Amino acid sequence: MSRTNKLLTVTGLAWLFDAMDVGLLSFLLVAVKQEWGLSQVQVGWIGSVNSIGLALGALTFGALADQKGRKPILIFTLLIFSIASGLSAFATGYAIFLVLRFFIGLGLGGELPVASTLVAENVPANTRARTIVLLESFWAVGWLVASLLSYFVIPNFGWRITLLITAMAAFYGLVIRRHVPANTIAESNIVKKPSIGERYRLIFSRLYRRQTTMLWIVWFMVMFSYYGIFLWLPSVLVEKGFSMVNSFGYVVIMTLAQLPGYFTAAWLIEKWGRKAVLTTFLFGTALSSVAFGFASNITLILIAGMLLSFFNLGAWGALYAYTPELYPTQVRATANGAAEAFGRLGGILGPLLLGIFLAHGYSFELIFGIFGLAVIIAIIAILTLGHETIGTDID
């Protein structure tokens, strides 16, 4: 196995565990709502608290990865997420579940920007973006595993068992410790590491202010729409009149479309460029979101949901590939984490607003139209503020 493929596989499996947890949460929202008699707003807060942890994790551990190294921070964040996930299986009520979801989010939020930065710095320029999109494709596999666990395990054995399964990811830290390089190629070339304050001043300096503004807008809008839609997807199907078991099964079908979305984006990104692929897939996401809101029968719901999965997750892959290429090595993980952290504010707002909208009886057409509009704003930011990075060497 080549060095690139080995690195992709090892970090990709860590990414898969992250996706399993986020995917499971969308199904857990349905289960804990029924078990604890939660309101729509309370359910929305579970997703939002998780996103608060994701935001702080990305901000904190992205900066620490530039200071302490990619590998140790990657292992540490995996342990935080796994331990908190295992403990949440024993939560006795809403409050403690919220606290543990925060710590799960903290670990997840730190792991994602660190993993993508690590991979970006260890693969050749001509395959870098494709490799990172393929890294992101492990997210779809994790979602698929989560969907299957939710369909077969939750109805028969309860939601707590699924959380114990995700907690086993802690042992994967041993694999990362053995097979991930101690320093990335780019890290080894840094003579002096700037302080956290110096790094933030640099990403907001005149040299990088434009791409920082663009990325923060795009990450915010993409996460606002993604978490608003996908964390609530099983619940939305229940609201549309389907049973919990049928809703879980339909989400499994929709999730299958994520993989071809990633693979298509991976194939196109070295041909069309980062901006073209990202804007194309975001435009498909906006149209699919509106279509899902108007879907009135199971056939239309499945078609719109599969298109939404295809385009939205393909766009995610392109965004993860694009972000690390816009900054130099000494601030790359910090800038990557900061952009994701700001985006997590959208991830907090999206699920919370959808819960409020449902509680007040807003139509699905209006709700999903709002998510589509958010994605259009992201497209405008990319077209007006972004620059192409295809073929660029990163120092």
Side-chain angles (χ1 to χ4, degrees), residues 261-330:
Y262 280 124
F263 295 151
T264 304
W267 180 66
L268 291 173
I269 199 162
E270 300 292 1
K271 299 177 182 294
W272 290 4
R274 286 52 161 157
K275 286 180 63 176
V277 171
L278 184 52
T279 53
T280 298
F281 276 75
L282 285 177
F283 186 69
T285 300
L287 292 180
S288 302
S289 178
V290 174
F292 189 86
F294 280 91
S296 56
N297 59 60
I298 189 56
T299 301
L300 294 176
I301 288 172
L302 285 176
I303 292 172
M306 292 178 72
L307 288 172
L308 191 56
S309 291
F310 177 91
F311 285 112
N312 193 281
L313 277 299
W316 268 94
L319 184 56
Y320 266 108
Y322 188 33
T323 301
E325 294 182 335
L326 294 168
Y327 298 96
T329 301
Q330 64 266 31

Side-chain angles (χ1 to χ4, degrees), residues 20-31 143 146-147 150 229-235 248 251:
M20 273 180 58
D21 179 80
V22 176
L24 280 172
L25 181 58
S26 67
F27 299 97
L28 292 176
L29 293 178
V30 179
W143 259 84
S147 300
S150 301
I229 294 171
F230 283 93
L231 280 184
W232 275 92
L233 195 52
S235 301
F248 286 3
V251 174

